[in-house]
C-alpha cells in the first residue's frame, strides 16, 4: 500500500522531486564558491519571477510573517500613517505588525468572501496622506483574490508605498511588480514558489529602498533590519562571501532549483495553469452542490479554494474521512467561521491527477457523511476544465 498521502493544503504544498533532492545534498559552507553562485543566481531569478528587474531581492531564513515584519519594520517609523486593506485573517495580522512599529493604522475591512472596492480605497487615500498601503493578494483564510494591478496604480497615483502580501500568490497568480508599481512583494518559500518551509522572500523597489534610506530612526527589529541584510545581498550578487546570519543553505539550493523550473515553464504558462486549476476546482465544488466562501468568480483565487460545508451534514469527521482516502486538506482559519468551511490548496506543481484525486476523496467523504450527490459529478468538471 502507498502510505504517503497527497498534501493539498494551502502550504506546505507538494514539491517537485528535483527540489526535494536539493534538501538531501551534503550541506556546503555558506561562503563556499559554489554556494555563493547559487545564492547570487537565486536573487537574480527572484527578480525575474517577481518581474522587477530593478528591485532589491532579499532571501532570509524565516517565514512569510517575517517577510511581513521586515516590510513593516524597515518602511515604518513611529507616527507614520498606514492603510491596510483586509480581506481576512492575514490582513488583520499585517495591521497588528504595523502597530508594533508605531504606525497609525486605518483598516478597510471587506465582508467575508469579498474585496474592498477600488472606489472605497481611493476615497480613503484622498482623505489622508499615508506613507504605506498594504494588502493581501490572496488571503489564505478566505481564498479571496485582490486586484493587485489596480491597487498598485492607486498607490502610484497617491504616492504611497504599496506592499503586496503575496504569501499565497507569488509564482501562482499573475504579478508584474515593476509594471504595476508595487513597492514590496513578499512571500514564503512553502507556497507556490515550491520550496519547503523556512525562507522569507521579498523584492523591494528602488522607491522602497530610497524610503528606507531616508529613515531618521533606527529599525526596531535587529534581525529584520535591511541595514544588516542589504550588504549581504549585495555581496552575494557580486559573487563575494559575506556574513550576518547563517543562511538556510539547503533551502537556498532548493530555491534556485525551483525558480529555474518556474522560469523554464514560463511565467505566462504558469499563471494560465493556475487559472485553469482554480477554475476546474471551483467548477467541481459547485457541481457537488457546495458553495464557496469567495463571493463570485472575479474575486476567487486560483491558488486555493474555500468550500462551505453542506448545511445539514455532520462535518465532525469529514477531514478525517478525506485523509483516509489519501488526501490531506485544511480546515477553516477564520475564528468565527472555522467550523463552517474547509480549504483546498492547488498551487505550485499541482497537476490534473492531483485535482482528480482530491475531488474524488471529497466526493467519497461527502457520501460517507450522508450527503447525497451524483458520484463523479465533481471529477468530471476537472476533466472538462483542466
Amino acid at each position: 500500500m502507498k502510505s504517503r498521502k497527497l498534501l493539498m493544503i494551502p502550504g506546505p504544498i507538494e514539491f517537485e522531486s528535483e527540489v526535494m533532492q536539493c534538501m538531501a545534498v551534503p550541506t556546503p559552507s555558506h561562503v563556499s564558491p559554489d554556494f555563493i553562485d547559487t545564492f547570487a543566481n537565486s536573487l537574480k531569478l527572484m527578480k525575474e519571477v517577481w518581474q522587477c528587474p530593478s528591485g532589491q531581492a532579499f532571501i532570509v531564513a524565516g517565514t512569510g510573517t517575517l517577510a511581513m515584519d521586515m516590510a513593516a519594520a524597515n518602511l515604518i517609523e513611529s507616527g507614520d500613517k498606514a492603510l491596510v486593506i483586509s480581506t481576512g485573517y492575514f490582513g488583520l495580522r499585517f495591521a497588528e505588525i504595523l502597530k508594533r512599529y508605531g504606525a497609525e493604522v486605518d483598516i478597510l475591512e471587506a465582508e467575508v468572501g469579498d474585496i474592498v472596492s477600488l472606489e472605497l480605497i481611493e476615497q480613503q487615500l484622498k482623505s489622508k496622506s499615508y506613507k504605506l498601503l498594504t494588502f493581501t493578494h490572496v488571503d489564505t483564510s478566505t481564498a479571496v483574490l485582490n486586484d493587485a494591478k489596480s491597487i498598485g496604480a492607486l498607490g502610484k497615483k497617491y504616492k504611497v508605498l504599496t506592499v503586496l502580501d503575496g504569501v499565497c500568490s507569488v509564482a501562482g497568480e499573475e504579478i508584474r511588480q515593476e509594471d504595476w508599481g508595487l513597492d514590496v512583494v513578499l512571500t514564503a518559500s512553502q507556497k507556490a514558489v515550491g520550496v519547503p518551509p523556512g525562507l522569507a522572500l521579498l523584492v523591494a523597489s528602488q522607491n522602497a529602498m530610497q524610503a528606507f534610506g531616508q529613515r531618521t530612526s533606527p529599525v526596531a527589529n535587529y534581525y529584520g533590519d535591511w541595514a544588516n541584510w542589504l550588504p549581504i545581498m549585495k555581496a552575494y550578487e557580486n559573487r563575494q562571501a559575506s556574513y550576518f546570519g547563517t543562511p538556510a543553505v539547503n533551502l537556498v539550493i532548493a530555491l534556485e532549483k525551483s525558480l529555474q523550473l518556474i522560469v523554464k515553464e514560463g511565467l505566462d504558462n504558469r499563471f494560465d495553469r493556475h487559472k485553469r486549476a482554480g477554475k476546474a476546482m471551483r467548477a467541481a465544488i459547485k457541481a457537488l452542490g457546495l458553495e464557496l466562501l469567495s463571493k463570485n468568480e472575479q474575486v476567487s483565487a486560483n491558488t486555493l479554494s474555500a468550500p462551505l460545508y453542506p448545511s445539514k451534514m455532520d462535518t465532525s469527521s469529514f477531514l478525517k474521512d478525506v485523509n483516509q482516502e489519501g488526501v490531506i486538506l485544511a480546515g477553516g482559519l477564520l475564528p468565527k467561521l472555522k467550523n463552517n468551511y474547509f480549504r483546498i490548496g492547488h498551487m505550485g506543481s499541482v497537476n490534473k491527477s492531483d485535482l482528480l484525486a482530491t475531488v474524488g476523496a471529497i466526493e467519497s467523504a461527502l457520501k460517507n457523511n450522508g450527503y447525497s450527490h451524483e458520484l463523479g459529478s465533481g471529477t468530471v468538471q476537472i476533466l472538462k476544465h483542466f
Side-chain angles (χ1 to χ4, degrees), residues 132-325:
L132 196 72
L133 178 156
T134 76
F135 68 99
T136 317
H137 195 192
V138 171
D139 200 296
T140 316
S141 69
T142 59
V144 167
L145 173 70
N146 262 310
D147 183 347
K149 182 178 181 179
S150 296
I151 295 175
L154 286 176
K156 284 196 290 187
K157 180 177 179 180
Y158 291 94
K159 296 180 172 57
V160 57
L161 294 168
T162 306
V163 177
L164 179 152
D165 170 0
V167 167
C168 212
S169 69
V170 171
E173 302 283 357
E174 181 179 7
I175 300 173
R176 303 181 187 277
Q177 181 175 355
E178 199 156 304
D179 287 350
W180 293 357
L182 301 165
D183 291 298
V184 175
V185 174
L186 61 91
T187 193
S189 54
Q190 76 273 15
K191 306 280 188 172
V193 170
V195 176
L199 294 177
L201 307 169
L202 65 86
V203 176
S205 71
Q206 290 301 309
N207 194 31
M209 296 310 298
Q210 183 179 4
F212 165 71
Q214 293 171 346
R215 291 181 65 96
T216 59
S217 62
V219 172
N221 182 327
Y222 180 75
Y223 181 69
D225 189 347
W226 285 347
N228 290 325
W229 286 111
L230 185 58
I232 311 304
M233 300 303 122
K234 291 295 187 186
Y236 276 119
E237 286 172 350
N238 293 321
R239 304 300 205 273
Q240 297 170 351
S242 191
Y243 171 78
F244 169 63
T246 305
V249 177
N250 285 73
L251 285 171
V252 177
I253 297 170
L255 176 65
E256 180 191 33
K257 174 55 66 177
S258 191
L259 292 173
Q260 287 171 336
L261 294 173
I262 291 167
V263 169
K264 183 179 179 181
E265 180 179 6
L267 291 173
D268 288 342
N269 291 336
R270 191 173 180 88
F271 298 148
D272 179 67
R273 177 168 60 80
H274 280 82
K275 283 181 181 177
R276 288 186 288 110
K279 183 177 181 180
M281 184 58 73
R282 292 190 296 274
I285 291 163
K286 291 173 184 175
L288 296 175
L290 305 184
E291 296 181 8
L292 291 155
L293 197 63
S294 51
K295 295 294 184 185
N296 55 55
E297 191 73 10
Q298 288 67 43
V299 303
S300 293
N302 296 305
T303 50
L304 79 150
S305 298
L308 297 171
Y309 288 120
S311 57
K312 296 180 180 179
M313 189 183 83
D314 179 6
T315 61
S316 58
S317 64
F318 175 80
L319 291 177
K320 290 180 181 178
D321 288 347
V322 172
N323 189 298
Q324 287 297 310
E325 296 293 329

Side-chain angles (χ1 to χ4, degrees), residues 83-114:
L83 177 61
V84 172
I85 314 301
S86 177
T87 48
Y89 185 92
F90 291 97
L92 297 177
R93 174 177 286 190
F94 221 144
E96 290 304 309
I97 293 171
L98 289 162
K99 290 174 186 176
R100 293 290 180 99
Y101 296 107
E104 296 177 10
V105 179
D106 290 328
I107 303 172
L108 291 178
E109 189 170 0
E111 291 184 13
V112 175
D114 207 352

